[in-house]
Amino acid sequence: MASLPGTTDRRIDALLTLLAENSTIVISGAKIAKEIGVTRQQVWRWIEQLRQLGVRVKGHPRTGYHIERVPDILVPQMLSHRLYGTPFARRIFHFFKIDSTNSVAMQLGESGEPHGAVVLAEEQTAGRGRAGRSWTSEKSAGIYCSILLRPPIPPAHAPLLTLVAGLAARDAAAEELDALPDIRWPNDLLVGGRKFCGILTEMHAEPDRIHYAVIGIGININQSKMPADLAAIATSLRIETGKAHSRFELLIRLLQHFDRYYNQFLADGALPVLRRFAQVSSYYEGKRVRITTATESFTGTTAGLEPSGVLRVARDDGRGVEAVLSGDVAEAS
Ligand code: BTN
């Protein structure tokens, strides 16, 4: 299995887990040092490093340490405990800072990492969006997560994987919102008409077989405002609800829902996925849209999904119903 440079030191992970799991007591530096197998001086240095990242740890080497509030850092060891029984518990790669979690997950796919690996970052310096756009990834404000899959399906069914991811993210976020989130095909999540979650699926495949697929999910959670150029079209859960949300809990729910939809898809095929999409997306049918593909732009009305997950649009120009494989979908008047 692959090991990766730049991932968060497993022992910092263990230190945070230890402090968080003992949040009601003061634990001595010596005890921590013994448990995670480093010197007391190293414990002190890491505690200082965590403080600089905003983790509120009280105390010093003589009295022992005590965490004031369990930090909302996506600590692999704690995530792994909570995801027990899913394929995502086994290999979680965490970075404080990385260019793009999708790039890392694609490299892992290439080097033979098994199905279910999860790559997480507190901050991305070159987060990627669809159609060559970038994804703004403010430090510790959102979820920046990529899931590596080795799905036993042909590439033609890959749009269904994208729908599965959108449904999982939608269900996880719905529990945090007062208003119901919408899904703009294939998988932009919107609330009040503004986007708070985007998904980028990339894969390496042959005509009849997917070697690996990476599902990259970005969710705006605790941003208190969006950059000026995005404010009209993008939002965060915090902006919508006026309160902070736990990224940790939301990520767990996201991966649990993903596991459920993915297994259902493998066991029962596309139908349950398509039915669920029809229930929760206003874009499924009867929506006036403008479609922009690499070659053209046209308006029409949505007319359901093909069994492969592709969007059907009845064109205004009289050229019948078009199956839209990929492209930008915008609401049209
Ligand atoms: C979109 O354009 O809507 C897709 C955005 C996908 C962003 C996520 S953040 C985690 C993962 N890493 C990336 O570089 N992109 C995806």
Side-chain angles (χ1 to χ4, degrees):
M1 277 199 283
S3 71
L4 278 184
T7 44
T8 303
D9 192 315
R10 291 274 159 192
R11 293 165 305 172
I12 301 191
D13 182 4
L15 169 62
L16 260 175
T17 307
L18 199 66
L19 287 169
E21 282 174 352
N22 295 283
S23 60
T24 50
I25 54 168
V26 172
I27 27 180
S28 75
K31 180 153 190 259
I32 297 175
K34 191 162 170 236
E35 291 245 350
I36 60 178
V38 294
T39 63
R40 278 163 50 185
Q41 288 74 13
Q42 185 59 54
V43 170
W44 168 246
R45 278 196 290 274
W46 281 342
I47 297 260
E48 282 302 296
Q49 203 177 326
L50 289 175
R51 283 180 175 141
Q52 271 156 34
L53 288 163
V55 180
R56 300 222 305 261
V57 187
K58 262 192 152 172
H60 48 78
R62 262 179 296 117
T63 57
Y65 302 100
H66 164 233
I67 207 158
E68 283 186 294
R69 195 167 51 88
V70 177
D72 194 20
I73 293 182
L74 306 177
V75 185
Q77 199 173 318
M78 284 202 278
L79 284 168
S80 189
H81 288 164
R82 294 279 301 277
L83 289 166
Y84 183 76
T86 76
F88 310 122
R90 291 190 288 266
R91 298 276 283 170
I92 302 176
F93 297 85
H94 177 269
F95 295 83
F96 278 106
K97 197 184 209 174
I98 194 72
D99 52 357
S100 154
T101 56
N102 259 40
S103 302
V104 174
M106 288 296 281
Q107 284 160 24
L108 287 173
E110 207 48 54
S111 57
E113 179 71 26
H115 173 88
V118 175
V119 182
L120 300 167
E122 298 296 317
E123 184 180 3
Q124 294 185 117
T125 54
R128 292 191 274 121
R130 290 174 58 217
R133 287 186 284 259
S134 60
W135 186 260
T136 308
S137 312
E138 185 187 324
K139 182 170 154 191
S140 299
I143 286 177
Y144 316 116
C145 165
S146 299
I147 306 170
L148 175 71
L149 303 174
R150 298 195 182 270
I153 59 168
H157 293 174
L160 290 159
L161 282 182
T162 296
L163 296 185
V164 160
L167 290 171
R170 184 250 167 229
D171 287 3
E175 296 175 43
E176 305 283 326
L177 285 162
D178 306 321
L180 279 181
D182 196 5
I183 309 184
R184 179 172 58 202
W185 186 91
N187 53 18
D188 285 343
L189 297 193
L190 311 175
V191 61
R194 289 189 296 174
K195 176 167 165 176
F196 67 93
C197 169
I199 298 174
L200 174 67
T201 304
E202 298 180 287
M203 61 181 173
H204 183 232
E206 285 173 42
D208 60 337
R209 185 166 89 88
I210 297 180
H211 290 292
Y212 56 86
V214 166
I215 313 277
I217 305 171
I219 311 182
N220 299 336
I221 300 181
N222 288 327
Q223 288 86 344
S224 38
K225 66 181 180 95
M226 300 308 295
D229 56 328
L230 294 177
I233 54 164
T235 189
S236 73
L237 297 184
R238 184 182 196 148
I239 294 170
E240 293 305 311
T241 60
K243 60 173 196 234
H245 298 260
S246 163
R247 292 183 310 139
F248 185 86
E249 294 299 330
L250 210 147
L251 177 62
I252 287 169
R253 286 209 306 275
L254 166 67
L255 293 170
Q256 286 170 338
H257 285 305
F258 189 93
D259 188 41
R260 178 172 57 83
Y261 279 118
Y262 181 76
N263 288 335
Q264 189 184 37
F265 167 50
L266 292 189
D268 303 331
L271 208 60
V273 176
L274 300 175
R275 278 210 195 105
R276 181 71 179 146
F277 188 86
Q279 276 171 359
V280 297
S281 170
S282 75
Y283 282 75
Y284 180 73
E285 194 166 37
K287 184 82 147 187
R288 299 278 309 133
V289 287
R290 171 165 290 280
I291 305 292
T292 307
T293 68
T295 51
E296 63 169 344
S297 175
F298 62 90
T299 54
T301 305
T302 60
L305 300 183
E306 302 267 325
S308 63
V310 160
L311 182 67
R312 290 159 52 85
V313 179
R315 298 175 67 121
D316 287 343
D317 58 12
R319 286 163 60 187
V321 174
E322 179 98 24
V324 179
L325 194 61
S326 68
D328 259 355
V329 178
E331 191 164 3
S333 47

